[in-house]
Amino acid sequence: MPVASRPRHLVIAATLALLGLPTLADDFVPNDVLVCSAAADVVDPEIEPGGSTMVFNTTSGALRVTRLRADGTLGSGGCKGKAIDSGVITKMPGVPFGQGAEWGRSQTGTEIVYTKGMSDGSSSMWRAWRNGGTWQTAMMTAGESRGLPMASVDAVDPQYRVKYLRRLASGQHVPMWRENELPETETAWRAEGNESSAGVPRWVPGLRALTTASTDAAGYAQAALYWLDTRQIEMLTSDPSNKDEIWMWRAPEFGNEYVFATVVDSCCIRIYRQVGGVWTPVHSIDAPAFAGKPAIFSPEPWVYGGRSYLAMQVGATKTSRSEIWIASIDPAQPMTRRISDSAVDTVRYEPEWFDTADGPVVFFSQYTSSGKSSLRRAATGIR
């Protein structure tokens, strides 16, 4: 559900005083290339964690997979890929936001989780997995009247966990989570999201926890953790600003401690780490300062070569003209870099990292003049 609407109390001046001046963009020359034209109908691609398979939806409801080579180009499946299911939907009836297919990972390997429409107009949760050289699909156990699944990706877990929405007989949609094929573990929890930014709760690698926004007594959306086993929400921040898109991971540059990144008042990313047991901001990435644009969307963290980076969409709104940028999170080695070509003024969104033999690249979608989206790949210059 969306967070409470509040006036924007920007705290840029205080943040910059605390954290130092923001990093200016460097002189990197963007190099992004067309991978799939809009005619290929590649919708919401997601790359396999620890692997080289890309899954995507099509507007006609097909679920397809294709392979990525070590250099970041597509394999023999190309932009068409292999169809593994049909009737796939990205929105549940009565829910204003959507979500495409996602990956789950556990000790048994990787699987794809997604939503299908049923003949009676309802939705259900499904999964797809490799069986030798073929793909198999099945509805999840007790998957009826559920959808928009997002799975955990911890390779050491006996099975992945999945969060999703369940539609009750009353028509209400309730956030739930469960151990993948153990429906008896289904638990309702107090999740919050943001429709305008598409910010949603995220699984924390290595922890039985989800990041989420949590509205405080003053009405501000704060960064928080939901602990699965205690069913408690732990507030991580408390200052008078709205937090969105909270991602937590272990950062090599901070002794492999957990850190989290959050979008603050739409404009900025703030990096937090624990100092004396207190979550403390240690770096700020300010879109108006480095890009001359007001807002950040879809920041996705990546670790490469002992450093953490974020790829993000920068613009005015999620669906307005925008650019793709990357940034480092270490205040001792700050960097912001535009990686999308500015020759075409259009909407670019949903950046996805992939490690090639020459360093990481970022895939992203770009709207064309026809109103459809193409898939592009951008060099990052990271080695």
Side-chain angles (χ1 to χ4, degrees):
M1 64 188 103
V3 297
S5 177
R6 293 286 300 178
R8 298 183 66 187
H9 294 263
L10 298 180
V11 292
I12 296 174
T15 300
L16 297 185
L18 174 65
L19 304 176
L21 293 175
T23 308
L24 298 179
D26 64 11
D27 57 1
F28 176 78
V29 178
N31 176 22
D32 82 73
V33 298
L34 179 68
V35 177
C36 297
S37 70
D41 198 22
V42 176
V43 178
D44 197 11
E46 295 285 342
I47 299 173
E48 178 185 17
S52 57
T53 301
M54 178 184 288
V55 63
F56 59 93
N57 298 43
T58 70
T59 54
S60 63
L63 184 70
R64 294 180 175 270
V65 291
T66 193
R67 295 297 294 259
L68 295 171
R69 298 191 182 100
D71 63 357
T73 60
L74 295 187
S76 57
C79 296
K80 184 176 181 180
K82 177 182 179 60
I84 60 175
D85 208 346
S86 59
V88 176
I89 57 177
T90 58
K91 283 192 173 184
M92 293 178 70
V95 177
F97 55 87
Q99 181 178 290
E102 297 280 347
W103 289 93
R105 182 169 61 169
S106 67
Q107 293 176 9
T108 60
T110 54
E111 293 188 349
I112 298 167
V113 298
Y114 55 101
T115 309
K116 286 188 69 169
M118 307 302 286
S119 58
D120 62 358
S122 65
S123 61
S124 57
M125 294 194 304
W126 285 62
R127 62 190 185 96
W129 67 97
R130 298 180 185 90
N131 184 4
T134 65
W135 283 87
Q136 290 187 286
T137 65
M139 184 190 297
M140 291 186 188
T141 304
E144 300 90 344
S145 300
R146 295 161 174 83
L148 308 186
M150 182 177 288
S152 62
V153 293
D154 290 324
V156 298
D157 286 344
Q159 63 177 294
Y160 58 81
R161 301 172 297 280
V162 62
K163 72 175 185 67
Y164 52 94
L165 291 180
R166 178 180 176 181
R167 181 181 173 88
L168 305 182
S170 65
Q172 179 185 7
H173 290 89
V174 180
M176 299 278 189
W177 78 270
R178 78 183 205 198
E179 307 288 348
N180 174 31
E181 284 298 280
L182 296 176
E184 64 271 21
T185 63
E186 183 174 73
T187 305
W189 69 291
R190 197 176 80 239
E192 293 187 26
N194 188 325
E195 290 177 26
S196 64
S197 69
V200 296
R202 303 283 177 180
W203 291 105
V204 181
L207 297 180
R208 289 179 58 80
L210 284 151
T211 61
T212 185
S214 185
T215 303
D216 65 16
Y220 291 103
Q222 300 293 349
L225 279 179
Y226 173 77
W227 293 95
L228 305 186
D229 299 323
T230 64
R231 304 186 183 185
Q232 298 297 309
I233 287 184
E234 176 189 355
M235 303 292 277
L236 306 179
T237 61
S238 59
D239 62 287
S241 60
N242 284 311
K243 318 301 189 302
D244 189 16
E245 281 283 14
I246 302 110
W247 294 76
M248 182 176 285
W249 72 99
R250 289 190 180 274
E253 54 270 79
F254 294 124
N256 214 35
E257 298 171 8
Y258 278 103
V259 303
F260 71 87
T262 181
V263 175
V264 178
D265 284 329
S266 301
C267 75
C268 312
I269 290 176
R270 196 172 296 162
I271 308 298
Y272 286 78
R273 67 179 294 200
Q274 285 190 308
V275 178
V278 178
W279 287 103
T280 304
V282 295
H283 189 40
S284 187
I285 304 167
D286 180 348
F290 72 75
K293 296 184 182 297
I296 293 173
F297 306 93
S298 304
E300 184 160 325
W302 198 249
V303 175
Y304 183 84
R307 298 186 67 193
S308 301
Y309 301 90
L310 295 164
M312 67 198 85
Q313 175 189 351
V314 181
T317 67
K318 183 77 172 175
T319 56
S320 68
R321 295 171 179 175
S322 51
E323 301 169 342
I324 303 297
W325 287 71
I326 61 173
S328 65
I329 72 159
D330 189 351
Q333 300 184 66
M335 179 268 285
T336 53
R337 176 176 294 171
R338 178 173 58 82
I339 60 171
S340 61
D341 190 342
S342 61
V344 178
D345 193 9
T346 186
V347 182
R348 301 170 175 89
Y349 60 102
E350 295 298 331
E352 291 282 329
W353 292 91
F354 179 70
D355 283 347
T356 74
D358 294 322
V361 297
V362 172
F363 288 85
F364 63 92
S365 298
Q366 176 174 300
Y367 277 115
T368 65
S369 57
S370 68
K372 295 184 177 181
S373 62
S374 60
L375 180 66
R376 302 187 70 88
R377 183 186 68 246
T380 65
I382 298 170
R383 296 290 184 268

